[in-house]
Amino acid sequence: MSPIQKYAIGAGAAVLLSLIFFGTGLITLLVVLGVVGAPVAAYLMLDPSQRERLKRARRRGIGH
């Protein structure tokens, strides 16, 4: 399973749980934005050299 698929499943689960617990509304939107926005913000805070190293690690597979 690719990392993108894992992120999509996690985001879908977060949306489902937030809809179950909070219903529709502003709180659900904030939860969804937090789940999606946190990894994006963390990636954008990396230096270009750190991003390149992360890309290389993804290509060869972490732990292999």
Side-chain angles (χ1 to χ4, degrees):
M1 183 180 300
S2 74
I4 293 176
Q5 289 173 330
K6 291 177 187 177
Y7 294 139
I9 291 171
V15 169
L16 180 63
L17 289 174
S18 64
L19 286 174
I20 290 171
F21 289 123
F22 303 119
T24 58
L26 183 61
I27 295 174
T28 303
L29 178 64
L30 292 175
V31 169
V32 171
L33 288 177
V35 167
V36 173
V40 171
Y43 180 77
L44 291 175
M45 289 191 313
L46 295 175
D47 293 334
S49 63
Q50 292 171 323
R51 289 181 192 171
E52 188 60 37
R53 191 166 60 189
L54 183 61
K55 286 179 189 177
R56 283 195 311 266
R58 282 190 204 144
R59 273 188 237 131
R60 70 171 177 251
I62 298 172
H64 290 108

